[in-house]
Amino acid sequence: MTSRGEPRLADAAEIAAEQGLTPARINGLYNERAENAAGETFPEFVDKRGRARLWNHAEVTAWFAHRAQARLTEHTPPSRDPEELLNAAEASRFLGYKNANQVTTFVRDHPGYFPDPDVVEEKGTSENPYRRQLWRVQTLLDWMATRPGRGRRAGDKAAPALPEVPVDGDPDELLGATQAAALLGYKTVGSFSSSLSQGNLPLLKETDGVAEEGRQRGRRRWTRRRILQQAAQRSKR
């Protein structure tokens, strides 16, 4: 929380999630004194808490608005049937990632950032089962058009707003990443997931359960009580 008139601060994890990069890359841009297309140097951080640097969110957002397009942003996917189904490795290559495991990493470590698979096939045997996740080409194209870091243009769809989650609900109710992000004050699930993966939410390192049914099966869950404890700790920083 910031007082009226004070700039909102953001750490590398939050900025990275918004710009479609990694926290290490955000710190790298600062260390390299990287310049954008307007010749402006990456902003200085304005505060430091522990090992975490905090930047003026508005200044960093403005810097990225004038950043020259990266190779991935300029990637043009090959022409394919919009209804064709691609597995995680095929989807990674289709989207222009050199790492064939990139989509798998998004799904595993950043719930809510990447679209859910359109089809999930139960494979293997009863002793060694596994799930095969598939995405339609059109789903991937839609995500490319709106993913963080591309910049907003007329006609672009905004990321869906997080739901309103009551703080006074059942303290033992299991909540997912989207609800946790809302209770913690993040603007997007991607920001929450990135911050969690960087160890900035220590009380949520351990989960209280996983979803057992539907397309969310296997996704992490935390009790409302634990999330609110983390929110209280985060507000004191």
Side-chain angles (χ1 to χ4, degrees):
M1 299 294 292
T2 60
S3 300
R4 182 174 298 180
E6 293 183 359
R8 183 167 81 83
L9 303 184
D11 60 13
E14 181 176 354
I15 296 168
E18 292 181 353
Q19 299 300 331
L21 301 173
T22 65
R25 184 57 186 145
I26 298 300
N27 283 303
L29 290 171
Y30 168 76
N31 293 332
E32 297 162 11
R33 300 298 187 267
E35 294 186 352
N36 61 15
E40 300 165 331
T41 304
F42 192 84
E44 293 283 339
F45 64 87
V46 297
D47 196 359
K48 193 170 184 179
R49 298 172 187 172
R51 298 177 62 184
R53 295 163 173 167
L54 298 176
W55 282 271
N56 181 314
H57 183 266
E59 290 182 357
V60 174
T61 300
W63 186 89
F64 273 105
H66 295 91
R67 186 186 183 206
Q69 289 189 323
R71 176 196 63 80
L72 187 62
T73 306
E74 297 171 338
H75 169 71
T76 300
S79 178
R80 306 184 76 150
D81 182 347
E83 294 300 312
E84 182 179 358
L85 292 169
L86 305 181
N87 64 27
E90 292 168 335
S92 296
R93 290 190 289 268
F94 178 80
L95 293 169
Y97 293 105
K98 292 182 178 180
N99 180 2
N101 293 321
Q102 188 62 60
V103 166
T104 299
T105 299
F106 282 154
V107 173
R108 182 189 65 228
D109 297 337
H110 302 280
Y113 175 74
F114 196 74
D116 289 332
D118 295 296
V119 175
V120 177
E121 298 177 344
E122 302 295 340
K123 310 287 284 187
T125 64
S126 57
E127 292 79 17
N128 186 31
Y130 71 92
R131 304 170 73 209
R132 184 174 183 236
Q133 300 183 353
L134 302 167
W135 288 263
R136 289 189 176 88
V137 166
Q138 188 60 57
T139 298
L140 301 175
L141 292 173
D142 290 343
W143 181 77
M144 282 188 69
T146 58
R147 70 183 171 206
R150 290 187 61 89
R152 296 293 304 281
R153 296 173 295 179
D156 279 352
K157 295 180 180 179
L162 294 177
E164 293 187 9
V165 183
V167 299
D168 56 354
D170 180 357
D172 294 316
E173 181 183 1
L174 292 175
L175 305 178
T178 299
Q179 295 158 305
L183 283 175
L184 288 165
Y186 288 99
K187 289 190 174 181
T188 66
V189 178
S191 297
F192 162 76
S193 299
S194 182
S195 189
L196 179 64
S197 68
Q198 292 301 306
N200 297 326
L201 303 172
L203 297 184
L204 303 185
K205 181 178 180 180
E206 300 295 331
T207 60
D208 296 302
V210 296
E212 298 180 352
E213 298 179 351
R215 297 176 68 179
Q216 296 293 315
R217 190 175 69 173
R219 297 290 180 87
R220 294 171 290 183
R221 295 289 185 265
W222 301 268
T223 62
R224 180 181 273 102
R225 177 186 292 106
R226 187 193 292 267
I227 295 170
L228 291 176
Q229 288 172 345
Q230 180 63 81
Q233 185 183 92
R234 186 166 180 258
S235 66
K236 296 177 181 178
R237 295 194 309 175

